[in-house]
Amino acid sequence: MQTFRLCLLAALGIAGSAACPAECAAQSVLANPGFEQGAPALTGWNFPASPVYAATLDSVNAHQGRWAARVTGQPGGDANDFGNLYQTVGAAPFRGKRVRYRAW
């Protein structure tokens, strides 16, 4: 079983407004980037339901701040299975800017 602790910008998807469905067009900034809001829920983050991975907040092994997201493989999962934690935001605020993705 392998564990990944994610902090700050974990698997952030930036989509252009033409490719973005109406529900994500309204979100122009990343919600809860440090996982500090809404604890113990992963407020603002999406995690597809999966029998082989689980996503939770971790207050014991946080890199910065009080919380980190933890994506954990579950027993019985295949070595090629994966899980992700993501948000989709419009690209307009980021056009012409440098974007950095970081995970711990």
Side-chain angles (χ1 to χ4, degrees):
M1 180 183 337
Q2 194 169 24
T3 299
F4 300 95
R5 290 176 193 88
L6 306 176
C7 185
L8 296 177
L9 304 179
L12 167 66
I14 298 176
S17 58
C20 186
E23 64 270 7
C24 77
Q27 185 176 333
S28 60
V29 296
L30 187 65
N32 193 16
F35 307 109
E36 299 296 317
Q37 300 167 352
L42 286 164
T43 303
W45 292 90
N46 299 305
F47 183 79
S50 171
V52 295
Y53 276 87
T56 58
L57 280 176
D58 180 355
S59 64
V60 176
N61 295 305
H63 183 63
Q64 295 176 344
R66 184 167 177 210
W67 299 96
R70 180 186 291 231
V71 179
T72 308
Q74 300 299 300
D78 186 89
N80 294 321
D81 289 332
F82 70 95
N84 60 354
L85 184 63
Y86 70 93
Q87 289 187 41
T88 304
V89 297
F94 304 101
R95 288 191 180 118
K97 296 181 181 178
R98 178 187 230 173
V99 178
R100 181 184 302 193
Y101 297 93
R102 295 187 301 174
W104 166 75

